[in-house]
Amino acid sequence: MLQGLKNGARMYSVDPRRTSTAQWADGWLGLDVGTDIALANGIGREIIHAGLVNEAFVKRSTEHFEEYRATVEPYSLERVSQITGVDAALIRELAHAYGRADRAQICWTLGITEHHNAADYVFALINLALLTGHVGRYGSGLVPLRGQNNVQGGGDMGSIPAKLPGGYDVGDDEARARFERAWGASIPPEPGMHLSQMFEAMEPGPDGRAQLRALYCIGENPAESEANATHARHLLEGLDHLVVQDIFRTATADMADVVLPAAADWCEYEGTVTNSERRVQRVRKAIDPPGLARPDTHIICAVADRLGMSWGEPTAEQVWDELRSLSLNWHHGMSYARLDALGGLQWPCPDEDHPGTPLMHARLWESGEARGKAAPFTPVEHVPPVDTLTPEFPIRLTTVRVLDGYNSGVQTGGYDSPLRRRESLRMDAADGARLGIADGDRVRVTSRRGSVQAPVWFDPGLRPGLASFTPHFSEEVDVNVLTNDAWDPKSGTSEFKATAVRIERVEAALPVAGT
């Protein structure tokens, strides 16, 4: 992004916090947490009223535009300004800049997707790209910036409960039959449970027994990373059997009946990784795993052997070739030899003569049958966060990431960094003065689910009424004791970003700075 700015691009930052990114932006839209849909709908309405719609593209390549127009019509600049807290003139400026641009991208991160209606947030942004034709062209598009490496690859390999490897729906009879023949097993046509549903299934039923009583957890630390963590830990403790497979002894591993030590597959085994532009690249072993640690695939196959399946120890290439034989549209043409020779390929790559697909959705600019199915507008409405602000819980808490931290801190917490400071409640100085809190004071932060204590750091990037924690240092502040486990029915993601809290001073000042 910085390189783009150096080359003359314009950038607008939409974020409740005045981040370092916002400091580089042409405009900062510091909206209230949970109001992104209202903002997007207001931008869409202004683009329509200003005559900036790419009418030829909308008519040729999309559907449901009239329903979208009707939905956004009530979202006037004045009304959206009242909902979001963003100046109407700045909303209009962004709408016109985006609508008039020859090429434009919308990039987003977990601030969009960690809400109880997260999928609707994404649909609101997709609608803007369709409205202006900023999709399917080089330099334009919709760019979800992933929170972890190989998130794309994990989804592509079937870890999404409604999907088979290669992106096929489990309800696709033809695709499912192909997998069943290869695997010698029947596959239910209904989606499995996502993570939030798994935790709901751990709840005891009327007979005192839970639907889900055993869990095999690979490379995940839900004891610390789940919203409403106290309740999540209670459910994990109630399982009949918990298996954890990981390269670190996490808090979840400490609760497990069996821990299977895994190899760090990015350097201790072979394989592939898929980045956010769908580029599949080879991963090569550099060192042997320590002690009894084994590659994930070898552990899984060993478990299968003990269940009577005789999977043996296939090589990474053999596993990949099975995947290629089944993922006919996306991966079929990606042999290890081609990945080596070309330094990676982007799916879809349906055969070994195919060059890969650098640009998705270019078909929307084609004519006739080559254009394929129209891209639908998906009208969505603004709905506020589940955790409402009240006199008892008047401050909005959001969780944020920092540059040298990673998720629950298991991988990064053991390393020093010159950028790191003790985990603190970041809040606005005016809120501190109103509450009788000084910079460095220790406070108790309480939500409807629990309480934690932390020192305070006055952050000039935060506005009155907004505070933040990171999830990286649970040994210092167990932030997910506070967060809300209300989840989005479409994506299964909990509402980490919008917790209502109160803040109370508990003792004298403590130093905050330092590594």
Side-chain angles (χ1 to χ4, degrees):
M1 289 183 176
L2 290 176
Q3 190 62 49
L5 294 177
K6 292 177 182 177
N7 291 336
R10 299 178 67 189
M11 180 177 71
Y12 288 82
S13 175
V14 180
D15 198 303
R17 302 175 302 133
R18 190 176 180 87
T19 63
S20 57
T21 302
Q23 294 172 28
W24 289 91
D26 291 86
W28 171 51
L29 286 75
L31 79 175
D32 291 336
V33 173
T35 62
D36 301 74
I37 291 175
L39 178 64
N41 283 354
I43 292 170
R45 180 187 185 274
E46 178 61 21
I47 287 172
I48 293 170
H49 278 248
L52 299 175
V53 176
N54 190 325
E55 294 183 1
F57 178 82
V58 168
K59 182 177 181 180
R60 182 182 66 246
S61 302
T62 72
E63 59 185 1
H64 309 317
F65 169 68
E66 291 302 327
E67 293 95 322
Y68 173 71
R69 185 208 297 266
T71 298
V72 302
E73 180 57 32
Y75 290 85
S76 66
L77 291 176
E78 293 73 20
R79 181 189 174 211
V80 172
S81 181
Q82 291 174 353
I83 294 172
T84 64
V86 178
D87 184 77
L90 190 54
I91 300 171
R92 182 183 185 277
E93 179 184 333
L94 172 54
H96 284 245
Y98 183 71
R100 295 181 187 279
D102 177 56
R103 313 275 170 154
Q105 299 177 11
I106 301 177
C107 305
W108 70 90
T109 56
L110 297 176
I112 287 290
T113 54
E114 290 187 338
H115 291 272
H116 76 279
N117 52 342
D120 287 351
Y121 278 56
V122 177
F123 287 136
L125 301 181
I126 293 172
N127 291 335
L128 295 179
L130 296 179
L131 192 63
T132 54
H134 289 321
V135 63
R137 301 171 64 216
Y138 182 80
S140 287
L142 294 145
V143 188
L145 301 173
R146 305 301 194 184
Q148 302 177 50
N149 59 300
N150 205 30
V151 168
Q152 186 68 53
D156 296 349
M157 296 303 110
S159 63
I160 299 172
K163 298 288 186 179
L164 294 164
Y168 299 99
D169 291 332
V170 294
D172 182 332
D173 293 340
E174 180 181 347
R176 193 175 67 257
R178 185 168 66 252
F179 280 84
E180 289 177 334
R181 287 192 298 271
W183 292 350
S186 62
I187 302 171
E190 300 82 18
M193 290 185 285
H194 56 61
L195 185 58
S196 297
Q197 289 169 326
M198 290 182 196
F199 274 91
E200 288 193 348
M202 294 179 204
E203 295 275 6
D207 62 354
R209 292 285 284 169
Q211 178 188 354
L212 194 159
R213 298 189 296 276
L215 188 70
Y216 186 177
C217 181
I218 304 176
E220 186 78 7
N221 185 23
E224 292 185 313
S225 63
E226 280 300 285
N228 195 0
T230 301
H231 185 56
R233 290 167 198 154
H234 172 72
L235 295 176
L236 290 170
E237 289 169 348
L239 291 169
D240 293 345
H241 194 64
L242 174 60
V243 180
V244 169
Q245 181 172 315
D246 212 309
I247 64 174
F248 288 95
R249 189 174 180 98
T250 63
T252 310
D254 284 337
M255 303 174 67
D257 299 284
V258 176
V259 177
L260 302 172
D265 285 344
W266 63 271
C267 63
E268 295 172 351
Y269 193 53
E270 302 289 316
T272 60
V273 64
T274 307
N275 68 12
S276 294
E277 61 168 359
R278 300 164 286 102
R279 186 181 302 278
V280 180
Q281 295 169 283
R282 283 288 313 281
V283 174
R284 293 169 178 81
K285 179 178 177 179
I287 56 175
D288 291 327
L292 298 176
R294 301 173 66 183
D296 287 303
T297 52
H298 289 189
I299 296 173
I300 293 168
C301 289
V303 172
D305 287 346
R306 284 157 177 77
L307 293 171
M309 297 306 296
S310 300
W311 285 8
E313 283 194 359
T315 66
E317 186 172 10
Q318 287 172 327
V319 174
W320 180 252
D321 283 342
E322 179 190 282
L323 177 278
R324 289 201 303 128
S325 73
L326 298 169
S327 177
L328 303 182
N329 296 331
W330 287 5
H331 301 99
H332 192 61
M334 296 184 179
S335 66
Y336 265 27
R338 292 194 76 206
L339 294 177
D340 285 340
L342 300 174
L345 285 162
Q346 291 165 277
W347 61 255
C349 184
D351 60 66
E352 295 209 20
D353 294 322
H354 196 283
T357 307
L359 185 64
M360 286 289 282
H361 310 304
R363 64 173 182 81
L364 294 173
W365 296 91
E366 301 289 344
S367 58
E369 293 184 1
R371 185 168 59 250
K373 185 178 179 181
F377 282 90
T378 306
V380 291
E381 298 278 6
H382 163 69
V383 179
V386 172
D387 227 12
T388 56
L389 298 178
T390 65
E392 184 180 7
F393 300 102
I395 301 291
R396 180 64 72 196
L397 176 75
T398 194
T399 56
V400 305
R401 309 296 177 102
V402 294
L403 183 61
D404 64 341
Y406 190 80
N407 292 350
S408 60
V410 173
Q411 297 182 62
T412 51
Y415 299 90
D416 291 332
S417 166
L419 302 177
R420 188 172 300 160
R421 57 191 302 151
R422 180 191 310 173
E423 180 62 18
S424 306
L425 177 71
R426 302 176 185 218
M427 63 182 297
D428 176 69
D431 282 338
R434 179 174 55 83
L435 295 170
I437 296 168
D439 198 8
D441 278 356
R442 193 165 185 82
V443 297
R444 179 182 297 108
V445 184
T446 303
S447 76
R448 292 177 172 91
R449 287 154 295 280
S451 295
V452 299
Q453 291 190 22
V456 161
W457 173 34
F458 289 157
D459 185 346
L462 293 174
R463 298 173 292 116
L466 181 64
S468 72
F469 275 128
T470 82
H472 305 318
F473 308 104
S474 58
E475 73 283 357
E476 296 180 15
V477 180
D478 200 2
V479 63
N480 280 324
V481 166
L482 305 173
T483 51
N484 189 4
D485 54 358
W487 52 271
D488 174 32
K490 297 185 180 76
S491 69
T493 303
S494 295
E495 192 159 65
F496 291 93
K497 295 299 182 186
T499 301
V501 300
R502 65 173 177 267
I503 303 170
E504 304 161 293
R505 183 176 180 272
V506 294
E507 61 181 64
L510 291 172
V512 175
T515 60

